[in-house]
Amino acid sequence: MSKANFVQGEEFENLLIESLPLVVDYTATWCGPCRVISPLIDQLAGEYEGRANVVKIDIDQNKDNAKKYGIRSIPCVLIFKDGEVVENLVGKSPYNTFSEALEKHL
């Protein structure tokens, strides 16, 4: 089963220009709710492998990226399609919230 890997900088930019939808979980090690949804994001990565890219970004290590996309509260999951944000999900949510949001953009 695939897991959502942490990405930074250039790797993020390369995924952004791919044709597959990109799901980005903005997270931090100190964030309790982030730890709650982390296994759900990993599950999403496994279930949608080959149909979407699912990654995590640590906001403490990627402040510029978080600022660029207006991340003010975490956990925050953004879904990108064709390089643009098409979904913005903030806070803890059940798995189906993430999968249904992604399904709309496949």
Side-chain angles (χ1 to χ4, degrees):
M1 180 74 101
S2 186
K3 281 181 63 172
N5 294 317
F6 281 89
V7 298
Q8 309 191 55
E10 191 175 322
E11 189 176 2
F12 170 79
E13 295 298 329
N14 289 338
L15 288 170
L16 201 54
I17 59 175
E18 283 190 16
S19 61
L20 293 177
L22 174 62
V23 179
V24 182
D25 173 20
Y26 286 87
T27 187
T29 55
W30 47 263
C31 169
C34 297
R35 288 192 296 271
V36 171
I37 72 160
S38 183
L40 306 179
I41 300 302
D42 289 339
Q43 181 182 347
L44 201 67
E47 190 171 317
Y48 288 90
E49 188 172 7
R51 298 190 296 154
N53 291 311
V54 181
V55 298
K56 298 177 183 180
I57 290 184
D58 186 314
I59 63 163
D60 291 328
Q61 296 175 9
N62 296 275
K63 287 179 172 62
D64 289 343
N65 183 295
K67 185 176 180 180
K68 178 178 180 179
Y69 293 104
I71 306 304
R72 299 185 197 289
S73 180
I74 55 173
C76 180
V77 175
L78 298 184
I79 300 177
F80 295 84
K81 178 109 183 202
D82 301 322
E84 300 293 324
V85 176
V86 292
E87 294 282 340
N88 183 340
L89 306 162
V90 179
K92 289 190 308 186
S93 296
Y95 178 77
N96 65 334
T97 300
F98 301 115
S99 62
E100 288 169 7
L102 178 54
E103 280 289 334
K104 292 191 289 188
H105 302 287
L106 292 177

